[in-house]
Amino acid sequence: NLLIKNNYNNLIAIYTKSLMFIGEKITIKMDNNSSISGIFKRVNIDGSLQIENDNRISNLYNGTIQI
């Protein structure tokens, strides 16, 4: 079991392979009705989504992916 071995990076890598939209431009609607668009880079170990836009990295903890 990956969690028992504390090998979180491998677990995240396996999980990331199953995600939609990795490497694609997405828009996240935030709780305050604002939105942020960028390239979905990965899921961080804390569960946040890493988005790149305008050569900046943002880690988003809540919101909804808009299709």
Side-chain angles (χ1 to χ4, degrees):
N1 186 326
L2 293 174
L3 286 177
I4 292 172
K5 294 179 182 178
N6 290 325
N7 199 346
Y8 301 111
N9 289 333
N10 282 341
L11 178 64
I12 294 292
I14 291 168
Y15 175 70
T16 298
K17 288 180 184 178
S18 71
L19 294 175
M20 296 175 65
F21 309 119
I22 292 289
E24 296 180 28
K25 185 174 182 179
I26 62 170
T27 299
I28 304 289
K29 182 178 178 186
M30 309 302 282
D31 290 341
N32 63 1
N33 287 326
S34 67
S35 62
I36 183 170
S37 295
I39 304 298
F40 181 16
K41 301 302 278 185
R42 66 185 195 133
V43 174
N44 295 312
I45 192 126
D46 63 3
S48 62
L49 300 184
Q50 189 176 83
I51 305 293
E52 179 182 356
N53 65 349
D54 296 328
N55 294 319
R56 293 182 47 188
I57 299 293
S58 299
N59 297 312
L60 306 177
Y61 293 90
N62 59 15
T64 303
I65 296 176
Q66 296 182 312
I67 302 176

